[in-house]
Coordinates of all heavy atoms in Angstrom, one line a residue:
V1 N 101.4 108.7 93.8 CA 101.6 109.8 94.7 C 103.0 110.5 94.4 O 103.9 109.8 94.2 CB 101.6 109.4 96.2 CG1 101.8 110.5 97.2 CG2 100.2 108.7 96.5
S2 N 103.0 111.8 94.5 CA 104.3 112.5 94.5 C 104.7 112.8 96.0 O 103.9 113.4 96.7 CB 104.2 113.8 93.8 OG 104.0 113.5 92.4
V3 N 105.8 112.4 96.4 CA 106.4 112.7 97.8 C 107.4 113.8 97.7 O 108.4 113.7 97.0 CB 107.0 111.4 98.4 CG1 107.6 111.8 99.8 CG2 106.0 110.3 98.5
V4 N 107.1 114.9 98.3 CA 107.9 116.1 98.3 C 108.7 116.2 99.6 O 108.0 116.3 100.7 CB 107.1 117.4 97.9 CG1 108.0 118.6 98.0 CG2 106.4 117.3 96.6
I5 N 110.0 116.3 99.5 CA 110.8 116.5 100.7 C 111.6 117.8 100.5 O 112.4 117.9 99.6 CB 111.8 115.4 100.9 CG1 111.1 114.0 101.0 CG2 112.6 115.6 102.2 CD1 112.0 112.9 100.9
C6 N 111.3 118.8 101.3 CA 112.0 120.1 101.3 C 113.1 120.1 102.3 O 113.0 119.7 103.4 CB 111.0 121.3 101.6 SG 109.6 121.4 100.5
T7 N 114.3 120.6 101.8 CA 115.5 120.5 102.7 C 116.4 121.7 102.4 O 116.3 122.4 101.4 CB 116.2 119.2 102.4 OG1 117.3 119.0 103.3 CG2 116.8 119.2 101.0
R8 N 117.3 121.9 103.3 CA 118.3 123.0 103.1 C 119.5 122.6 104.0 O 119.5 122.7 105.2 CB 117.8 124.3 103.6 CG 118.8 125.5 103.2 CD 118.4 126.8 103.6 NE 119.2 127.8 103.1 CZ 119.2 129.1 103.5 NH1 118.4 129.6 104.4 NH2 120.1 130.0 102.9
D9 N 120.6 122.2 103.3 CA 121.9 122.0 103.9 C 121.9 121.0 105.0 O 122.6 121.2 106.0 CB 122.5 123.3 104.3 CG 122.7 124.3 103.1 OD1 123.0 123.8 102.0 OD2 122.6 125.5 103.3
R10 N 121.1 119.9 104.9 CA 121.1 118.9 106.0 C 121.2 117.5 105.3 O 120.3 116.7 105.5 CB 119.9 119.0 106.9 CG 119.8 120.4 107.6 CD 118.9 120.4 108.8 NE 117.6 120.0 108.6 CZ 116.6 120.0 109.6 NH1 117.0 120.5 110.8 NH2 115.4 119.7 109.3
P11 N 122.3 117.3 104.6 CA 122.4 116.0 103.8 C 122.4 114.8 104.7 O 121.9 113.7 104.3 CB 123.6 116.1 103.0 CG 124.5 117.1 103.8 CD 123.5 118.1 104.3
D12 N 122.9 114.8 105.9 CA 122.9 113.7 106.8 C 121.6 113.3 107.2 O 121.2 112.1 107.1 CB 123.8 114.0 108.1 CG 125.3 114.1 107.7 OD1 125.7 113.6 106.6 OD2 126.0 114.6 108.6
R13 N 120.7 114.2 107.6 CA 119.4 113.9 108.0 C 118.6 113.5 106.8 O 117.7 112.6 106.8 CB 118.7 115.1 108.7 CG 119.3 115.4 110.0 CD 118.6 116.5 110.7 NE 119.1 116.8 112.0 CZ 118.7 117.7 112.9 NH1 117.6 118.4 112.6 NH2 119.2 117.8 114.1
L14 N 118.8 114.2 105.7 CA 118.0 113.8 104.4 C 118.4 112.4 104.0 O 117.4 111.7 103.5 CB 118.4 114.8 103.3 CG 117.7 114.5 102.0 CD1 116.2 114.6 102.1 CD2 118.3 115.5 100.9
A15 N 119.6 112.0 104.2 CA 120.0 110.6 103.8 C 119.1 109.6 104.6 O 118.6 108.6 104.0 CB 121.4 110.4 104.0
R16 N 119.0 109.8 105.9 CA 118.2 108.8 106.7 C 116.7 108.9 106.2 O 116.0 107.8 106.1 CB 118.2 109.2 108.1 CG 117.4 108.3 109.1 CD 117.5 108.8 110.5 NE 117.0 110.2 110.6 CZ 117.4 111.0 111.6 NH1 118.2 110.6 112.5 NH2 116.9 112.2 111.6
C17 N 116.2 110.0 105.9 CA 114.8 110.2 105.4 C 114.7 109.4 104.0 O 113.7 108.7 103.8 CB 114.4 111.6 105.2 SG 112.8 111.9 104.6
L18 N 115.6 109.6 103.1 CA 115.5 109.0 101.8 C 115.6 107.5 101.9 O 115.0 106.8 101.1 CB 116.6 109.6 100.9 CG 116.4 111.0 100.4 CD1 117.5 111.5 99.6 CD2 115.1 111.1 99.6
R19 N 116.4 107.0 102.8 CA 116.5 105.5 102.9 C 115.1 105.0 103.2 O 114.7 103.9 102.8 CB 117.5 105.1 104.1 CG 118.9 105.3 103.6 CD 119.8 104.5 104.6 NE 119.9 105.2 105.9 CZ 120.7 106.2 106.3 NH1 121.6 106.6 105.4 NH2 120.7 106.7 107.5
A20 N 114.3 105.7 104.1 CA 113.0 105.2 104.4 C 112.0 105.5 103.3 O 111.2 104.6 102.9 CB 112.5 105.9 105.7
V21 N 112.0 106.7 102.7 CA 111.1 107.0 101.6 C 111.2 106.2 100.4 O 110.2 105.8 99.7 CB 111.2 108.5 101.3 CG1 110.3 108.9 100.1 CG2 110.7 109.3 102.5
T22 N 112.5 105.9 100.0 CA 112.7 105.1 98.8 C 112.4 103.6 99.0 O 112.4 102.8 98.1 CB 114.1 105.2 98.3 OG1 115.0 104.9 99.3 CG2 114.4 106.7 97.8
S23 N 112.0 103.2 100.3 CA 111.7 101.8 100.6 C 110.3 101.6 101.0 O 109.9 100.6 101.6 CB 112.6 101.3 101.7 OG 114.0 101.4 101.3
L24 N 109.4 102.6 100.7 CA 108.0 102.5 101.1 C 107.3 101.3 100.4 O 107.6 101.0 99.2 CB 107.3 103.8 100.8 CG 107.8 105.0 101.5 CD1 107.1 106.3 101.0 CD2 107.5 104.9 103.0
D25 N 106.3 100.8 101.1 CA 105.5 99.7 100.5 C 104.4 100.3 99.8 O 103.3 100.5 100.3 CB 105.0 98.8 101.7 CG 104.1 97.6 101.2 OD1 104.0 97.5 99.9 OD2 103.6 96.9 102.0
Y26 N 104.6 100.7 98.5 CA 103.6 101.4 97.7 C 103.9 101.2 96.2 O 105.0 101.2 95.8 CB 103.5 102.9 98.1 CG 102.3 103.5 97.6 CD1 101.1 103.3 98.4 CD2 102.2 104.3 96.5 CE1 99.9 103.9 98.0 CE2 101.0 104.9 96.1 CZ 99.8 104.7 96.8 OH 98.7 105.2 96.4
P27 N 102.8 100.9 95.5 CA 103.1 100.5 94.1 C 103.7 101.6 93.2 O 104.7 101.3 92.4 CB 101.7 100.1 93.5 CG 100.7 100.7 94.5 CD 101.4 100.8 95.8
V28 N 103.1 102.8 93.2 CA 103.6 103.8 92.2 C 103.7 105.2 93.0 O 102.7 105.7 93.4 CB 102.7 104.0 91.0 CG1 103.2 105.1 90.1 CG2 102.5 102.7 90.3
Y29 N 105.0 105.7 93.1 CA 105.2 107.0 93.6 C 106.5 107.5 93.2 O 107.4 106.8 92.8 CB 105.1 106.9 95.2 CG 106.2 106.2 95.8 CD1 107.3 106.9 96.5 CD2 106.3 104.8 95.9 CE1 108.3 106.3 97.1 CE2 107.3 104.2 96.6 CZ 108.3 104.9 97.2 OH 109.3 104.2 97.8
E30 N 106.6 108.9 93.2 CA 107.9 109.5 92.8 C 108.3 110.3 94.1 O 107.5 110.6 95.0 CB 107.7 110.5 91.7 CG 106.9 111.7 92.1 CD 107.1 112.9 91.2 OE1 108.1 113.0 90.4 OE2 106.3 113.9 91.2
V31 N 109.6 110.4 94.2 CA 110.2 111.2 95.3 C 110.9 112.4 94.7 O 111.7 112.3 93.8 CB 111.2 110.3 96.1 CG1 111.8 111.2 97.2 CG2 110.6 109.1 96.6
L32 N 110.5 113.6 95.2 CA 111.1 114.9 94.7 C 111.8 115.6 95.9 O 111.1 115.9 96.9 CB 110.0 115.7 94.1 CG 110.3 117.1 93.6 CD1 111.4 117.0 92.5 CD2 109.1 117.9 93.2
V33 N 113.0 115.8 95.8 CA 113.8 116.6 96.8 C 113.9 118.1 96.3 O 114.4 118.3 95.2 CB 115.2 116.0 97.0 CG1 116.0 117.0 97.9 CG2 115.1 114.6 97.6
V34 N 113.4 119.0 97.1 CA 113.4 120.4 96.8 C 114.5 121.0 97.7 O 114.3 121.1 98.9 CB 112.1 121.1 97.0 CG1 112.2 122.6 96.6 CG2 111.0 120.4 96.2
D35 N 115.6 121.5 97.1 CA 116.7 122.0 97.8 C 116.5 123.5 97.9 O 116.6 124.2 96.8 CB 118.0 121.7 97.0 CG 119.3 121.7 97.9 OD1 119.1 122.1 99.1 OD2 120.3 121.4 97.4
N36 N 116.3 124.0 99.1 CA 116.0 125.4 99.3 C 117.2 126.3 99.5 O 117.8 126.2 100.6 CB 115.0 125.6 100.4 CG 114.4 126.9 100.5 OD1 113.9 127.3 101.6 ND2 114.3 127.7 99.4
A37 N 117.5 127.1 98.5 CA 118.7 128.1 98.6 C 119.9 127.4 99.2 O 120.5 127.8 100.2 CB 118.3 129.3 99.5
P38 N 120.4 126.3 98.5 CA 121.5 125.6 99.0 C 122.8 126.4 99.0 O 123.0 127.2 98.1 CB 121.6 124.3 98.1 CG 121.0 124.8 96.8 CD 119.9 125.8 97.2
R39 N 123.7 126.0 99.9 CA 125.1 126.6 99.9 C 126.1 125.8 99.1 O 127.2 126.3 98.8 CB 125.5 126.9 101.3 CG 124.8 128.0 102.0 CD 125.5 128.3 103.4 NE 125.0 127.4 104.4 CZ 124.2 127.8 105.4 NH1 123.8 129.0 105.5 NH2 123.8 126.9 106.3
D40 N 125.8 124.6 98.9 CA 126.7 123.7 98.1 C 125.9 122.7 97.4 O 124.7 122.7 97.4 CB 127.8 123.1 99.1 CG 127.1 122.3 100.2 OD1 126.1 121.6 100.0 OD2 127.6 122.4 101.3
D41 N 126.6 121.7 96.8 CA 125.9 120.7 95.9 C 125.8 119.4 96.6 O 125.6 118.3 96.0 CB 126.6 120.6 94.6 CG 128.0 120.1 94.7 OD1 128.5 120.0 95.9 OD2 128.7 119.8 93.7
A42 N 126.0 119.3 98.0 CA 126.0 118.1 98.7 C 124.6 117.4 98.6 O 124.5 116.2 98.4 CB 126.3 118.3 100.2
T43 N 123.5 118.2 98.6 CA 122.2 117.6 98.5 C 121.9 117.1 97.1 O 121.3 116.0 97.0 CB 121.1 118.6 98.9 OG1 121.3 119.0 100.3 CG2 119.7 118.0 98.8
K44 N 122.4 117.8 96.1 CA 122.2 117.3 94.8 C 122.9 116.0 94.6 O 122.3 115.0 93.9 CB 122.8 118.4 93.8 CG 122.7 118.0 92.3 CD 123.2 119.1 91.5 CE 123.1 118.8 90.0 NZ 123.6 119.8 89.1
K45 N 124.1 115.8 95.1 CA 124.9 114.6 94.9 C 124.2 113.4 95.7 O 124.1 112.3 95.2 CB 126.3 114.7 95.4 CG 127.1 115.6 94.6 CD 128.5 115.8 95.2 CE 129.4 116.7 94.4 NZ 130.7 116.9 95.0
L46 N 123.6 113.8 96.9 CA 122.9 112.8 97.6 C 121.7 112.3 96.9 O 121.4 111.1 96.8 CB 122.5 113.3 99.0 CG 121.8 112.4 99.9 CD1 122.6 111.3 100.4 CD2 121.2 113.2 101.1

């Protein structure tokens, strides 16, 4: 499965989401963060 998370300039909330998504009980999946028209690189670093 590909898990897509769309976000824009909310790294604090995204961090909580990513802690859960990267710990899912599932054998094979990728996580893709789509940063929509970001104002800075905070989400990229996260």
Side-chain angles (χ1 to χ4, degrees):
V1 180
S2 292
V3 178
V4 175
I5 307 170
C6 300
T7 186
R8 186 182 189 191
D9 298 328
R10 301 204 297 189
D12 290 343
R13 292 184 178 183
L14 179 62
R16 182 182 58 203
C17 179
L18 286 176
R19 283 195 293 271
V21 170
T22 55
S23 302
L24 295 174
D25 179 6
Y26 199 75
V28 180
Y29 68 102
E30 68 159 345
V31 180
L32 176 62
V33 172
V34 182
D35 202 359
N36 190 205
R39 286 189 278 252
D40 55 41
D41 63 353
T43 298
K44 181 178 181 180
K45 292 178 179 177
L46 179 68

